């Protein structure tokens, strides 16, 4: 199985062609591939999305209205990017608890550049994302230089980044942003689709290409799977750690800027206290999608589907007027169930030689 959950390889493709002359073994191989597909995270998530969509459409008035679908797509766009920002670090075997804090810092930096410094919106976005890359890279440098686990470093920097941002901005917000930037986040395509969702899909394609086709992406996966072996093969593991944290900072920044465009203002509390409101969606997407917490495997499609499922469940439960605290409880249970089910699934695949 490759790193994206796909079950086909070049050798397997050749094997399928050979099946035309040897039907019995080919039939068994196809059956095995079908079982792999049905047991993959991506297929399971897609099935759950379809099932819950049907349930909510039946029991929840207004769930399928154009406004509801537009709002859900816009929320999903941000949640998916938040999931990506955690995924690129989990791939290396680490964690980034400061995702929300970095996202808010970038959002506030972008707001300052556009409102106070007078930058055009596109230069403000570029400058803010550069800030996100630097903050993320700082996390990576601290992890490499101290040798401490990323959990400790990012737990500390989560508070540091947020505190510095509050000090510099005096907890003020930026609400006089360029109209075209704010309009983009509120725009509707065909009355239903948010352009933010298209931005998210483009980012997903770029990440998939990065991990699948680039040397840097493959080195990052190798370093996450077995750092010692990767180091012996000539891969600079310390550089890959800094790279993945810089990428995480950029992605968290994209999520923050999308949120600013959606709400029309850069607000310090947009990700909750210390950015903690982003932690649960940041973990849910990658974990549900099949990204290994031990590193070495990333599933961009799985993370996308996982984050969309979380958004779907949240939207449906809120429309059913379930309390927000119960929604958080459900999401926490979903995270726990996903980890346990994934353990069972991997155990089954290993017993049947499907991995």
């Amino acid at each position: 199985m490759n790193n994206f959950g796909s079950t086909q390889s070049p050798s397997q493709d050749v094997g399928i062609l050979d099946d035309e002359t040897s039907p019995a073994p080919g039939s068994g191989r196809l059956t095995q591939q079908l079982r792999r597909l049905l047991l993959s995270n991506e297929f399971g998530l897609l099935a759950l999305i379809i099932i819950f969509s049907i349930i909510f459409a039946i029991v929840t008035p207004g769930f399928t209205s154009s406004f509801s679908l537009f709002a859900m797509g816009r929320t999903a766009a941000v949640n998916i990017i938040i999931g990506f920002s955690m995924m690129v670090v989990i791939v290396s075997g680490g964690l980034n608890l400061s995702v929300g804090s970095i996202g808010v810092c970038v959002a506030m930096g972008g707001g300052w550049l556009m409102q106070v410094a007078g930058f055009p919106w596109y230069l403000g976005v570029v400058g803010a994302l550069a800030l996100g890359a630097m903050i993320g890279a700082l996390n990576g440098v601290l992890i490499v230089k101290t040798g401490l686990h990323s959990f400790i470093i990012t737990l500390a920097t989560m508070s540091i980044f947020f505190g510095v941002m509050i000090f510099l901005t005096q907890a003020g917000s930026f609400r006089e942003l360029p109209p075209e930037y704010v309009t983009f986040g509120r725009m509707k395509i065909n009355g239903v689709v948010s352009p933010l969702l298209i931005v998210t899909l483009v980012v997903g394609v770029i990440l998939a290409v990065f991990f699948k086709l680039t040397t840097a992406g493959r080195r990052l996966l190798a370093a996450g799977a077995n750092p010692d072996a990767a180091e012996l093969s000539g891969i600079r593991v310390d550089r890959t750690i800094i790279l993945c944290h810089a990428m995480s900072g950029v992605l968290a920044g994209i999520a923050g800027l999308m949120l600013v465009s959606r709400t029309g203002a850069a607000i310090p509390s947009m990700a909750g206290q210390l950015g903690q409101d982003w932690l649960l969606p940041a973990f849910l997407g990658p974990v549900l999608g099949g990204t290994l917490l031990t590193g070495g495997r990333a599933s961009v499609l799985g993370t996308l589907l996982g984050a969309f499922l979380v958004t779907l469940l949240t939207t449906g439960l809120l429309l059913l007027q379930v309390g927000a605290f119960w929604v958080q409880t459900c999401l926490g249970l979903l995270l726990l169930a996903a980890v346990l089910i994934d353990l069972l699934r991997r155990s089954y695949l290993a017993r049947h030689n499907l991995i």
Side-chain angles (χ1 to χ4, degrees), residues 88-348:
V88 296
V89 176
I90 291 178
V91 163
S92 70
L95 298 171
N96 184 6
L97 302 183
S98 62
V99 163
S101 182
I102 294 175
V104 176
C105 287
V106 172
M108 296 301 290
W112 184 87
L113 288 172
M114 286 184 266
Q115 179 176 315
V116 180
F119 279 40
W121 70 267
Y122 48 88
L123 290 182
V125 167
V126 172
L129 293 181
L131 174 65
M134 287 190 290
I135 296 175
L138 178 60
N139 271 339
V141 170
L142 289 173
I143 292 165
V144 169
K145 295 297 183 185
T146 62
L148 294 174
H149 194 278
S150 54
F151 177 88
I152 301 298
I153 295 295
T154 56
L155 179 64
T157 56
M158 176 176 68
S159 299
I160 295 170
F161 295 154
F162 195 85
V164 171
M165 181 273 295
I166 291 293
F167 173 76
L168 292 176
T169 64
Q170 297 298 304
S173 58
F174 300 105
R175 299 178 181 275
E176 298 176 9
L177 302 176
E180 55 269 33
Y181 179 69
V182 177
T183 302
F184 182 76
R186 298 172 178 172
M187 193 183 300
K188 295 180 180 178
I189 301 174
N190 292 328
V192 177
V193 180
S194 168
L196 297 180
L197 199 55
I198 296 175
V199 172
T200 296
L201 294 177
V202 170
V203 171
V205 171
I206 292 172
L207 284 175
V209 170
F210 172 77
F211 284 115
K212 188 118 181 168
L213 301 179
T214 68
T215 303
R218 288 193 289 268
R219 285 180 174 175
L220 207 162
L221 292 171
N226 192 329
D228 294 334
E231 195 76 48
L232 288 173
S233 64
I235 296 174
R236 293 289 301 272
V237 175
D238 52 352
R239 289 184 181 177
T240 63
I241 291 175
I242 295 172
L243 172 64
C244 74
H245 277 277
M247 289 173 60
S248 178
V250 172
L251 290 165
I254 292 175
L257 291 172
M258 289 169 75
L259 207 52
V260 171
S261 181
R262 193 180 81 183
T263 58
I267 305 170
S269 61
M270 58 195 299
Q273 183 67 17
L274 302 177
Q276 294 178 0
D277 287 358
W278 284 16
L279 279 180
L280 196 54
F283 278 105
L284 276 169
V287 172
L288 289 173
T291 299
L292 288 179
L293 289 172
T294 51
R297 182 180 187 274
S299 175
V300 175
L301 177 60
T303 301
L304 187 149
L305 292 173
F308 189 83
L309 175 63
V310 171
T311 307
L312 175 73
L313 291 173
T314 304
T315 303
L317 291 173
L318 289 176
L319 285 175
L320 284 173
Q321 298 186 338
V322 175
F325 291 111
W326 284 112
V327 172
Q328 293 298 314
T329 303
C330 290
L331 294 181
L333 290 172
L334 181 64
L335 178 61
L336 183 61
V339 174
L340 295 176
I341 291 172
D342 189 57
L343 283 175
L344 293 174
R345 185 182 66 86
R346 292 182 184 285
S347 175
Y348 177 86

Side-chain angles (χ1 to χ4, degrees), residues 1-8 33 36-43 212 289-290 297-302 345-346:
M1 183 181 294
N2 65 25
N3 289 321
F4 297 87
S6 172
T7 55
Q8 286 190 347
Q33 289 179 340
R36 283 178 179 162
L37 174 64
L38 295 176
L39 289 169
S40 66
N41 285 77
E42 292 80 359
F43 182 84
K212 188 118 181 168
R297 182 180 187 274
S299 175
V300 175
L301 177 60
R345 185 182 66 86
R346 292 182 184 285

